[in-house]
């Protein structure tokens, strides 16, 4: 997925904090759920407007940005 299909920043939505594209769900909500030990499935049940593909793409993007593109 392209970054714009995953994350959107619009000053009209939550004051411009990053949200999953097509939703009002902050990407930080996913991180908070994972930090709390909750599963991806649990997060997706609570935020059905976020697709599994978006959540996984965000995590892959975050990992690549943190560690680098050579993950193999």
């Amino acid at each position: 997925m392209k970054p714009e299909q995953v994350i959107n920043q619009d000053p009209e939505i939550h004051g411009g904090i990053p949200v999953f594209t097509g939703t009002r769900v902050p990407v930080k909500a996913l991180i908070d759920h994972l930090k709390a030990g909750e599963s991806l499935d649990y997060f997706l049940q609570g935020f059905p407007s976020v697709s599994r593909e978006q959540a996984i793409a965000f995590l892959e993007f975050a990992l690549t940005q943190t560690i680098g593109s050579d993950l193999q």
Side-chain angles (χ1 to χ4, degrees):
M1 294 183 97
K2 296 178 183 178
E4 61 271 9
Q5 294 174 298
V6 179
I7 303 170
N8 182 44
Q9 283 186 273
D10 182 338
E12 299 294 320
I13 301 173
H14 290 300
I17 65 169
V19 297
F20 286 98
T21 301
T23 77
R24 297 181 61 81
V25 179
V27 295
K28 187 177 181 312
L30 173 57
I31 298 301
D32 290 344
H33 276 72
L34 296 176
K35 281 175 43 179
E38 296 166 353
S39 69
L40 177 59
D41 288 332
Y42 184 81
F43 170 79
L44 293 171
Q45 287 174 1
F47 298 96
S49 60
V50 178
S51 73
R52 176 174 294 278
E53 292 78 16
Q54 282 179 308
I56 291 171
F58 168 73
L59 292 171
E60 289 173 347
F61 176 74
L63 184 62
T64 299
Q65 292 299 306
T66 303
I67 296 175
S69 60
D70 187 24
L71 300 175
Q72 299 178 7

